[in-house]
Structure formats: structure tokens, C-alpha cells
Amino acid sequence: MNIVVVGTGYVGLVTGVSLAEIGHSVTCVDIDRQKIEKMRKGISPIYEPGLSELMKKNIQANRLYFTTSHSEAFLKANIIYIAVGTPENEDGSANLSYIEEVAYSIAENIVRDTIVVTKSTVPVGTNRKIEEIILQNLVHDVRVEIVSNPEFLKEGTAIYDSFHGDRIVIGTNKEETARIMEKVNEPFGIPVYKTSIESAEMIKYASNAFLATKISFINEISNICERVKANIEEVAVGMGLDTRIGSQFLKAGIGYGGSCFPKDTKALIQIAGNVHYDFELLKGVVNVNKKQQVLLMSKLKHIYPNLNGLRVGVLGLAFKPNTDDMREAPSLLVIKDLIANGAEVLAYDPIAIENAKRLLPPQVIYVDSVLEAIESCDATLLLTEWDEIRQMDVSLFHKMKKPIVIDGRNCFSLEIMKENDIEYHSIGRPSINENVRETLIMLQSDSAILVDEEKAGEGSCQLKVKQ
Ligand code: NAD
């Protein structure tokens, strides 16, 4: 099959490379000329384990091509995958302008019967709109079939997920088109689930909203654990042993981030609102996440009421390990707050520093190692659980001015931190320094966090901390 993938971001490039790896001839198109130049040389513009190797291999095997020209790419295409971004509008809805642009370009440029497959996450009804745009603007007399094929890969394990996913969802109303898509995907050996277009679109949003709910739920439980001296790690294991619950996505932390959960939860609230349905539960999930993202700052502010002039080491910037993606990373909120309060910030991340520089205030000092970030600091905040950070020698914290560590990812065991005489505050676990900060949790609960429920679906943070 001659396949074209439009958009070479985290989803498009991984999709293109994986389809080439199973034997298809794939042309990836992007409007970003610099990206295309890089990829032609076999250099991946994003960090994703295993991606560069597979990319080079398939370029050499003449199965993988890159271009900025839609018309050139579409000339021989049997199937066109749309994998452009659907970022968040100011009101929380999905911005479909990139999708629409591609639909117009397909209408103008295709010269043969084509299957158009949407990989991007789009609200229910969007594939119908894509079909309408294409059919109303077709230049050549050709047939077009539409398929919704949402993507479930996870950044950091995207290549693995492409070959070991739990399911491939194919949403189309034509049995023949479904059969062709099954054949295209057959070499992946992943179960295919065929649905209507609308159901496929909804499966993606419902899945992400459910996972986000699991995260907000366990974070709420962790906050109660802190107050009743239970340990969230034990609670999560005990819950996860129940197969109806399952052990995944029960890790308490500083809230979800990244390019999908924040925008997809808000978009689903909008999708529901558009049909006059108030998705109360999901508003709560969004709200809880906003509270959770500022939890470390309130712990730090309790220890140091005045952050002005304080030196703070930040370990980890990416929204999760094994990616350079900084979109909606909790570190953005935390570091901006630190700088706004006059703290000096030394930040370390193994991969994401270049992307972080584009989004963080210029005052942030970026360093090349964990040690440089924490040396002579008044406090260390741990924001991303990279292996390198989880496995570090914790005695290094004694190089700080004071060994005070506030860990948003529960990277270290309480026993090890106690043995090493480190003041350690984590998420949902009993304090090991009761004498030092006995009142920390109680005071946190006193400073009620007010979040405007009505605005939970909106992009801006409505959070106010009552003093
Ligand atoms: P991204 O921002 O990383 O990449 C989008 C790419 O599309 C960019 O390279 C951009 O230059 C390109 N582009 C924009 N307009 C174009 C056009 N007219 N022609 C060609 N290229 C164009 O986005 P992403 O993270 O890969 O996400 C893509 C979609 O997949 C979104 O809808 C997202 O919600 C969904 N998704 C993302 C993930 C994820 O983990 N990132 C997972 C599942 C689904």
C-alpha cells in the first residue's frame, strides 16, 4: 500500500515509521521545513526511545520518505492518515483548524480513490465534517472513504505501543473499507475492534477521560492518606490486586500533564456541554488535577513562608520520563510560581531542557547534572521520575545547604530517606520527620483551596489559595 501520513509529531512520525516497518511504502508530510530536512537525514525531531533507529532502517530500505509537499505526497496515495495537532482553544474545545486545512488540501490534490484515516483526537462528528469538506471541494472525480482510527500510544513507549497495543479501533460505516484497514494493520498482530465512526471518536475521549479520572481519584485518596497516616503506596497495591480495579494508573503524584489528558478532558466537557449534558464528574477530575499540581508549592511554602532569595533545585522537567515533551508539564506551573516568588531555580532534566527553555522564564538556570541542581540549595523539588533520578545516591542530598526534599513522584523509600537523615516530604505517605514538621499536613488542610467548579472546563487556572 502507498500510505501518506500528514503531520510528523509524536503520533504522525511514530505511525509513519511503524507502518513502514511492517512493509508499507510511507511518505510523511509536514509543513515544518526544518523538521522535514532533519528527518530526511534520519534525525528524529523528537525524543522517543527506539524511534531514530527504526526511522534510519526504513529510510535505508526505501520504504520511508519525507516531504513538505501535499500534492507530491498525495499523487500516489491509496491511504492518507491525518495526524496533525488538535490543540486546546481558549474555551477548552478542540481547535480543528489544522484538520480542516488538511481536508481542503486532500480535496484539491488527490487523483485516485483514497481512504482518509483520522489518527488525531477529534470530537464526535469531526470525521463527518472532514468527509463533507473533501466531497464538496474535490477537484478530481474520485471516491473517498473516511475512517476514524484513534491513536492510543503513550509518549515514552510509543514505538513499543505501536507493536504491542491492546487494540486498534477502526471506525467506518463501510464493511469493505474496514476489511482493507484490517489488512493494512494485520502485521501488527493487534486485535482490531470495528465500530461506527462516531463510536470510534468517542472511544478515544472516553478512554483518556477514564484514565485521567483514575489519576485524580488516587491523588484525592493520597491527600486523605497524608491526613490519616496511611500510606498511599500500600493502599494502591491493595486496591490494584482487585482485578476489577487493576494496578495501572494508581500512582499518586502531582497530577497529570502532557499533550493529551489536560486537553482531552476539557474537550469532552465541551462535547457534553454542546449536547446540553453537564459532565459533573469530569469537571471534578480537572479540578482535582489543578489542586494537585500546586501541592508541592504549598508544602514548600509551609517550610519556607518567604521564598524570596531561596535557592531551589528542580529535578525533572518533562511531563513524564522518557520524553522531551513539555506540553502541560506540572514543572511549568511550579517553576513559574517559584520565580514569581523570587526564588532562584536550578533545573535539571536529562532530555527536555531545550524544549523547557522555550516555555519557562529566562531566570531559570539549567544545569547538566543532578548534583549541580541540588548543590547548595535550600530545598529540592522532584517533578519527573526519570530512572537516573530514582536511582541516584540519596546521600548526595547532603550537598545541599539543608537536605530538604519534596518529592512529587514518590521516588525514594521512606526508610532510606530516614536512614540518610534527610527531611523528606512525598505524596500520600506518612511524614518521616514528624518532629521537624509535625504541623505541615494540618496547616495544608487549613489553607482551603478554592476552585471555581463552573470554570473547571476552561483553560485558565482558577485556583486561589486562601491564606
Ligand atoms: P504534534 O503537535 O506533535 O504534531 C503535529 C504536527 O503536525 C506538527 O509537526 C505540525 O507541523 C504538523 N502539521 C500541522 N499542520 C499541518 C499540515 N497542514 N500539513 C502537514 N503537517 C501539519 O502533535 P501530536 O502530539 O503528534 O498529536 C497529534 C494528534 O494525535 C492530536 O490530535 C493528539 O491529540 C493525538 N494524540 C496524541 C498523542 C500523544 O501522546 N502525543 C497520543 C494519542 C493521540
Side-chain angles (χ1 to χ4, degrees):
M1 282 282 181
N2 279 321
I3 294 180
V4 170
V5 180
V6 187
T8 59
Y10 289 85
V11 166
L13 183 55
V14 170
T15 299
V17 169
S18 304
L19 287 166
E21 176 68 12
I22 59 169
H24 300 294
S25 171
V26 180
T27 303
C28 293
V29 195
D30 205 289
I31 46 174
D32 187 330
R33 193 166 293 280
Q34 272 183 340
K35 261 190 182 179
I36 292 292
E37 288 306 326
K38 259 186 161 183
M39 291 185 287
R40 279 185 175 147
K41 291 180 196 144
I43 303 166
S44 169
I46 54 169
Y47 175 78
E48 190 59 52
L51 179 59
S52 292
E53 294 78 356
L54 225 50
M55 209 174 128
K56 284 190 192 113
K57 178 182 162 196
N58 283 284
I59 292 172
Q60 272 160 18
N62 292 321
R63 287 194 296 262
L64 186 59
Y65 305 91
F66 297 95
T67 178
T68 52
S69 163
H70 290 87
S71 56
E72 181 192 310
F74 293 164
L75 212 56
K76 286 197 265 171
N78 307 111
I79 302 180
I80 299 173
Y81 282 79
I82 304 177
V84 295
T86 48
E88 187 181 321
N89 283 321
E90 266 186 22
D91 65 356
S93 62
N95 174 350
L96 299 176
S97 59
Y98 301 102
I99 295 273
E100 285 169 16
E101 249 174 65
V102 177
Y104 282 108
S105 176
I106 290 173
E108 282 162 27
N109 290 299
I110 54 171
V111 292
R112 59 175 69 207
D113 294 350
T114 309
I115 297 176
V116 175
V117 182
T118 309
K119 273 259 155 211
S120 304
T121 303
V122 292
V124 180
T126 307
N127 275 282
R128 297 282 179 201
K129 200 166 167 191
I130 293 172
E131 184 174 34
E132 210 178 283
I133 293 175
I134 296 175
L135 293 183
Q136 284 176 2
N137 295 280
L138 268 180
V139 170
H140 297 276
D141 182 19
V142 295
R143 266 190 334 134
V144 176
E145 298 298 343
I146 302 291
V147 175
S148 167
N149 173 213
E151 180 54 62
F152 299 101
L153 63 76
K154 303 179 288 300
E155 286 177 24
T157 53
I159 290 290
Y160 179 88
D161 295 343
S162 291
F163 294 92
H164 303 89
D166 295 322
R167 76 304 206 189
I168 292 173
V169 172
I170 305 280
T172 167
N173 299 337
K174 289 252 169 63
E175 192 45 45
E176 188 200 338
T177 310
R179 265 201 305 274
I180 296 171
M181 289 307 297
E182 266 184 303
K183 193 107 193 96
V184 166
N185 287 287
E186 201 172 64
F188 286 123
I190 295 171
V192 169
Y193 181 53
K194 292 182 277 182
T195 69
S196 71
I197 290 176
E198 288 74 13
S199 297
E201 290 169 329
M202 188 50 123
I203 286 168
K204 176 63 192 174
Y205 279 104
S207 302
N208 274 2
F210 189 77
L211 293 171
T213 303
K214 246 183 139 178
I215 294 173
S216 279
F217 182 85
I218 202 68
N219 283 337
E220 288 273 74
I221 297 292
S222 78
N223 292 334
I224 302 168
C225 282
E226 284 189 17
R227 288 155 174 81
V228 298
K229 298 188 189 241
N231 183 327
I232 191 63
E233 308 276 303
E234 292 172 356
V235 172
V237 171
M239 287 171 65
L241 288 171
D242 185 330
T243 49
R244 292 171 304 175
I245 297 172
S247 59
Q248 291 195 42
F249 276 75
L250 288 182
K251 184 119 186 58
I254 45 170
Y256 57 77
S259 67
C260 292
F261 289 174
K263 85 172 168 61
D264 293 348
T265 43
K266 288 179 213 153
L268 186 51
I269 291 169
Q270 283 281 334
I271 292 167
N274 291 343
V275 288
H276 313 292
Y277 191 83
D278 185 11
F279 200 156
E280 281 182 77
L281 175 64
L282 198 54
K283 284 182 182 170
V285 168
V286 171
N287 227 2
V288 167
N289 197 57
K290 284 178 185 165
K291 276 200 298 183
Q292 204 66 17
Q293 289 193 328
V294 295
L295 188 62
L296 287 201
M297 283 305 287
S298 61
K299 285 181 191 257
L300 179 67
K301 282 175 186 168
H302 175 68
I303 299 168
Y304 293 109
N306 181 4
L307 302 184
N308 197 20
L310 209 72
R311 202 175 157 102
V312 180
V314 172
L315 298 183
L317 297 169
F319 87 94
K320 66 174 186 175
N322 296 319
T323 182
D324 58 353
D325 199 345
M326 284 293 300
R327 289 177 284 186
E328 301 277 340
S331 63
L332 297 173
L333 212 63
V334 170
I335 291 175
K336 282 176 189 168
D337 199 3
L338 284 170
I339 299 282
N341 278 279
E344 183 185 13
V345 175
L346 288 98
Y348 172 69
D349 188 286
I351 299 290
I353 285 180
E354 284 316 307
N355 286 343
K357 281 181 184 167
R358 287 192 274 273
L359 300 168
L360 283 169
Q363 295 95 322
V364 179
I365 301 164
Y366 298 94
V367 294
D368 295 328
S369 68
V370 168
L371 180 59
E372 282 174 86
I374 65 179
E375 215 165 19
S376 318
C377 278
D378 298 285
T380 292
L381 299 187
L382 208 156
L383 303 184
T384 319
E385 67 276 34
W386 287 93
D387 278 348
E388 180 188 342
I389 295 169
R390 289 157 61 95
Q391 290 157 12
M392 69 178 271
D393 171 5
V394 298
S395 69
L396 282 183
F397 287 122
H398 283 286
K399 302 268 182 197
M400 297 169 62
K401 210 182 285 169
K402 286 183 195 164
I404 299 177
V405 178
I406 308 180
D407 179 357
R409 304 295 184 182
N410 289 355
C411 284
F412 309 115
S413 87
L414 298 177
E415 291 71 28
I416 285 180
M417 295 308 258
K418 196 168 187 171
E419 270 166 30
N420 279 271
D421 204 16
I422 293 161
E423 184 178 332
Y424 183 53
H425 304 279
S426 53
I427 305 283
R429 299 193 289 181
S431 172
I432 56 166
N433 317 96
E434 289 196 17
N435 297 332
V436 188
R437 308 281 173 205
E438 209 167 1
T439 53
L440 177 58
I441 290 161
M442 295 319 288
L443 279 173
Q444 266 171 231
S445 55
D446 276 354
S447 61
I449 292 172
L450 307 172
V451 180
D452 186 342
E453 293 277 341
E454 290 300 310
K455 310 259 181 184
E458 296 183 2
S460 60
C461 184
Q462 298 294 327
L463 197 139
K464 299 179 205 115
V465 179
K466 196 170 81 187
Q467 296 303 321

